[in-house]
């Protein structure tokens, strides 16, 4: 019995340390990927011709896939884990490298969107890890969606700037693209109209994302006020 308990404790500690290490590694690689893509976008570098970036992106995807299967190995209910995290696996595949190696011809707009697939995987991982900072379920959900909202707005601003700058006379700097992205995410809109296919696609994604995410602010504020009122009543009862 003691030996079985020691084995279980050892497995639990191993799982905790390995999952913690993989979460940290995924976060670091995701942030590096975001920085690299941002720099390439600002410098107008063709990512398909950047061998260093393509190699780095491939190994980042490999780590993402390994992280998925490590989680699957330690999961108590493997089928449930697989179906709940199946999207993570799909987003971890190095599609850009596969397209490049197989010489599949896609439009530059399509390739640019494919480039952001690993970033979507990193954004989900970042949101999940950040949500661990709170013990409250509503606050945790709020932080997760807030992180996703900020990252979606930023990624869309990069896409909009890369595709519209030099083509759209209203987009004269990245800050204009970032402001456009923020205004569309908030569903307010602005005077800048996209002229490229990618810009028009992003112009649809942003308000839809905003309409999905912004109602969560109401849920969070309602929960916060409710908890504050209950806490105040409890303190009043204890003082009496």
């Amino acid at each position: 019995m003691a030996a079985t308990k020691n084995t279980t404790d050892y497995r639990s500690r191993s799982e905790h340390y390995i999952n913690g290490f993989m979460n940290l590694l995924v976060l670091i690689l995701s942030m590096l990927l975001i920085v690299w893509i941002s720099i390439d976008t600002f410098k107008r570098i063709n990512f398909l011709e950047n061998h260093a970036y393509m190699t780095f992106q491939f190994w980042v995807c490999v780590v993402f896939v390994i992280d998925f299967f490590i989680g699957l190995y330690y999961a108590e209910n493997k089928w449930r884990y697989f179906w709940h995290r199946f999207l993570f696996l799909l987003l971890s595949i190095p599609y850009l490298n596969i397209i490049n190696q197989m010489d599949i011809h896609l439009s530059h707009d399509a390739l640019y969107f494919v480039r952001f697939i690993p970033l979507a995987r990193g954004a989900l991982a970042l949101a999940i890890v950040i949500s661990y900072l709170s013990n409250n379920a509503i606050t945790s959900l709020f932080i997760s969606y807030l992180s996703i909202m900020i990252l979606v707005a930023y990624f869309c601003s990069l896409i909009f700037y890369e595709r519209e700058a030099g083509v759209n006379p209203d987009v004269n700097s990245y800050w204009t693209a970032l402001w456009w992205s923020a205004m569309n995410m908030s569903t307010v809109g602005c005077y800048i109209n996209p002229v490229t296919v990618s810009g028009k696609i992003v112009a649809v994604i942003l308000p839809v994302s905003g309409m999905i995410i912004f109602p969560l602010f109401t849920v969070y504020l309602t929960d916060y006020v409710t908890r504050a009122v209950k806490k105040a009543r409890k303190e009043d009862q204890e003082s009496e």
Side-chain angles (χ1 to χ4, degrees):
M1 184 68 70
T4 303
K5 182 178 180 181
N6 290 335
T7 302
T8 303
D9 291 342
Y10 175 77
R11 179 184 173 86
S12 179
R13 287 196 301 269
S14 299
E15 178 183 358
H16 175 75
Y17 290 133
I18 292 174
N19 284 334
F21 172 76
M22 291 304 300
N23 285 336
L24 179 61
L25 184 59
V26 167
L27 281 179
I28 293 174
L29 291 177
S30 300
M31 295 306 297
L32 289 175
L33 199 60
I34 292 171
V35 171
W36 200 320
I37 288 180
S38 300
I39 293 173
D40 280 2
T41 300
F42 298 144
K43 292 185 176 181
R44 317 288 287 182
I45 297 174
N46 187 336
F47 56 90
L48 289 177
E49 298 176 359
N50 189 342
H51 178 71
Y53 169 78
M54 293 294 288
T55 303
F56 177 73
Q57 193 245 197
F58 171 76
W59 287 109
V60 167
C61 290
V62 169
V63 172
F64 287 169
V65 172
I66 292 173
D67 176 62
F68 173 85
F69 283 103
I70 287 177
L72 180 63
Y73 173 76
Y74 283 112
E76 293 182 4
N77 189 330
K78 299 188 185 305
W79 276 111
R80 182 179 180 184
Y81 178 91
F82 180 84
W83 290 116
H84 281 199
R85 296 295 183 97
F86 184 63
L87 177 61
F88 281 64
L89 179 61
L90 291 180
L91 295 176
S92 301
I93 298 173
Y95 296 105
L96 203 59
N97 299 85
I98 295 172
I99 291 170
N100 199 34
Q101 288 297 319
M102 297 183 67
D103 197 26
I104 299 174
H105 297 285
L106 297 176
S107 68
H108 193 73
D109 287 328
L111 285 174
Y112 200 77
F113 277 104
V114 171
R115 187 190 190 193
F116 279 81
I117 291 177
L119 284 184
R121 167 67 175 84
L124 289 174
L126 182 62
I128 290 173
V129 173
I130 290 177
S131 69
Y132 291 157
L133 299 175
S134 174
N135 294 324
N136 181 269
I138 298 296
T139 303
S140 177
L141 184 65
F142 172 75
I143 294 174
S144 297
Y145 278 92
L146 181 62
S147 303
I148 292 174
M149 183 187 72
I150 293 172
L151 290 172
V152 167
Y154 179 66
F155 296 159
C156 287
S157 71
L158 289 178
I159 295 173
F160 189 77
Y161 174 69
E162 202 277 339
R163 305 309 297 154
E164 295 281 330
V167 179
N168 192 332
D170 292 326
V171 183
N172 49 27
S173 69
Y174 168 70
W175 301 110
T176 302
L178 182 62
W179 177 77
W180 176 89
S181 181
M183 289 297 99
N184 279 275
M185 173 67 82
S186 65
T187 69
V188 174
C190 67
Y191 69 91
I192 300 175
N193 294 314
V195 297
T196 64
V197 174
S198 296
K200 292 175 181 178
I201 293 174
V202 170
V204 174
I205 293 173
L206 282 168
V208 171
S209 301
M211 286 187 291
I212 294 173
I213 295 173
F214 275 111
L216 292 171
F217 286 89
T218 305
V219 175
Y220 173 73
L221 290 174
T222 302
D223 177 73
Y224 179 81
V225 172
T226 302
R227 286 189 286 114
V229 170
K230 288 182 178 179
K231 183 179 179 181
R233 289 177 177 174
K234 185 177 179 180
E235 290 177 351
D236 289 340
Q237 291 174 356
E238 291 176 352
S239 63
E240 293 177 354

